Amino acid sequence: MKNIVIAAGYATRLYPLTENFPKPLLQIGESSILGRLIADIDGIEEINEHIIVSNHKFVRHFEEWAKTVNTRCPIRIIDDGTETNETRLGAVKDLLLAINECNVDEDILVIAADNILDFSFRGFVDSFKEKGTSMIMCHNEPRMERLQRTGVIAVDDNMKVLEMQEKPEKPVSNWAVPPFYIYKKSDLPLIKDCMNHGCGFDAPGNLAHYLCERTEMHAWEMPGHRFDIGSLDSYEEAKRKFSE
């Protein structure tokens, strides 16, 4: 299984902090946001490589970072060629770039690089192996305003995904979807062809929304919490919370 990290955004909401530095490499305690994610995923024996997709503006930062971390699995940095937020490819196109450039032909864990978790991806991979289908991570979100700003899924009693909405005005459930997915090797042909069938490309959830209408998928409930670093205030809060 490949771990594909989408890290090609420009984090304009954190300017000036991220104007010339990538958000995933911001320091949190003794590590970085990305470093914390990689440290956990690297310990999962099914993972054999970390593929990190950067934009051209920040690719050298990731290449230098990769030289400083000690991991079991090799790290490969992919440059998507963009240099501004206005010309960014979008998460789905960045994923397709990684799949094609690295000739990926196996199961893939796909994650966004700007979150801190207080739980391991180990359970997510175990659930994937148990269900035998592509997987979506989810969590219970009681606040309507937050459900209206994210992906939302409806599931049956076995956590099979029945429907996925993107930023719905009327959410079908309280199951919100963070940017973490596992896609089965047998679904790669659907993924590679998604742009030819109108799949959205800006957010990682666009692909899950596209796939759940075309292949069987299950959901896994997060056993803990995630901290989404999307503003200067949330970054300062994360530093206080996770540096203790």
Side-chain angles (χ1 to χ4, degrees):
M1 181 184 291
K2 303 293 186 191
N3 172 36
I4 302 181
V5 182
I6 308 301
Y10 290 86
T12 56
R13 288 186 296 163
L14 271 78
Y15 277 17
L17 192 63
T18 54
E19 192 165 5
N20 294 296
F21 192 79
K23 177 166 67 167
L25 298 184
L26 291 175
Q27 199 75 9
I28 301 287
E30 296 182 355
S31 186
S32 61
I33 302 170
L34 178 58
R36 288 170 174 267
L37 291 168
I38 293 296
D40 170 53
I41 295 169
D42 195 59
I44 300 172
E45 58 269 23
E46 288 85 356
I47 299 294
N48 55 52
E49 184 177 24
H50 306 290
I51 301 171
I52 299 170
V53 187
S54 168
N55 57 54
H56 184 68
K57 181 178 180 179
F58 293 142
V59 68
R60 296 290 175 262
H61 291 279
F62 287 100
E63 290 172 343
E64 291 302 313
W65 167 83
K67 296 175 184 177
T68 69
V69 293
N70 182 23
T71 57
R72 176 183 60 87
C73 302
I75 297 175
R76 191 186 320 197
I77 310 296
I78 303 295
D79 182 353
D80 79 356
T82 72
E83 296 185 313
T84 68
N85 186 58
E86 291 70 29
T87 60
R88 68 190 186 278
L89 295 185
V92 176
K93 289 184 177 179
D94 278 322
L95 173 60
L96 292 171
L97 176 68
I99 290 171
N100 292 325
E101 191 161 321
C102 299
N103 297 311
V104 175
D105 190 30
E106 58 190 286
D107 303 330
I108 54 175
L109 169 64
V110 180
I111 69 169
D114 54 359
N115 293 261
I116 297 177
L117 309 180
D118 65 4
F119 61 91
S120 174
F121 281 93
R122 173 74 266 174
F124 193 31
V125 173
D126 287 343
S127 183
F128 164 74
K129 291 165 64 178
E130 176 190 347
K131 299 294 187 183
T133 69
S134 290
M135 300 286 297
I136 296 174
M137 196 179 292
C138 67
H139 63 92
N140 188 275
E141 176 52 71
R143 291 161 290 189
M144 175 64 70
E145 66 276 11
R146 294 204 175 186
L147 290 169
Q148 292 172 331
R149 297 199 305 266
T150 189
V152 176
I153 54 172
V155 298
D156 66 12
D157 292 340
N158 194 38
M159 294 301 283
K160 179 181 177 180
V161 179
L162 303 175
E163 178 184 355
M164 182 169 177
Q165 304 169 303
E166 277 294 310
K167 299 181 179 179
E169 182 180 345
K170 297 181 179 179
V172 293
S173 76
N174 291 99
W175 290 118
V177 178
F180 309 119
Y181 315 87
I182 300 178
Y183 295 125
K184 197 172 173 63
K185 174 184 175 180
S186 58
D187 286 332
L188 286 178
L190 285 173
I191 294 172
K192 291 178 181 179
D193 196 41
C194 71
M195 297 309 301
N196 295 322
H197 299 280
C199 178
F201 57 85
D202 191 47
N206 292 140
L207 180 59
H209 181 270
Y210 172 85
L211 287 177
C212 74
E213 298 178 350
R214 292 164 174 81
T215 188
E216 186 177 6
M217 302 184 76
H218 284 83
W220 180 73
E221 182 181 1
M222 293 185 343
H225 302 89
R226 77 176 179 117
F227 198 96
D228 181 11
I229 299 174
S231 67
L232 290 170
D233 287 343
S234 62
Y235 174 55
E236 292 301 324
E237 185 181 348
K239 286 198 297 183
R240 291 191 297 269
K241 182 179 181 65
F242 293 96
S243 297
E244 295 174 355

